[in-house]
Amino acid sequence: DLVRSRCAEFEARRNVAVARLAAVPGLACSPPHGAFYIYVSCAGWTGKRTPQGRRLENDAGVTAYLLESGVALPNGAGYGLSPYFRVSFATTPENIERACARIDAAARRLEG
C-alpha cells in the first residue's frame, strides 16, 4: 500500500510539473516514464537575451540565467542532452509550483 501511495504522489507531482513547464513560452517536455526528473528542451530560449542583455547561447547559459532567477538546475550537456535542462520533482508540491512559477517569470523577461 505504501508503494502504491508513493507512486501516486510522484505521478501527481510529475503531472503538475510537466503541465506547468510545457506551458512556459519556449520550453517543451514530455512526461518521463519511471524517473523522478524531467528533461526540458530549452531550444526555444537559445538566441534570446536576458534582461541584462546577455545572449543565451546554449543550455549552460539557460541554467545560469535560471540560477540568477532563483532556480538551480543542471544543464543537459552533462548528460549528453543539449539543449535541455533537468528538473527534479522529488520535492514538495509547493517547491515544484514555486520553481515553475520562477521559470515562467524568467521566460517572460527574455527578449528577442
Side-chain angles (χ1 to χ4, degrees), residues 21-94:
L21 293 166
V24 173
L27 299 182
C29 63
S30 299
H33 302 285
F36 57 84
Y37 47 84
I38 304 161
Y39 284 102
V40 181
S41 171
C42 55
W45 287 16
T46 303
K48 296 196 179 276
R49 295 200 178 275
T50 68
Q52 296 77 24
R54 190 175 65 252
R55 187 172 187 271
L56 299 177
E57 301 286 340
N58 52 33
D59 51 315
V62 168
T63 55
Y65 171 60
L66 287 173
L67 182 59
E68 294 167 4
S69 301
V71 184
L73 302 165
N75 63 55
Y79 302 97
L81 295 170
S82 283
Y84 287 79
F85 58 83
R86 193 169 108 162
V87 175
S88 172
F89 53 89
T91 186
T92 66
E94 295 80 17

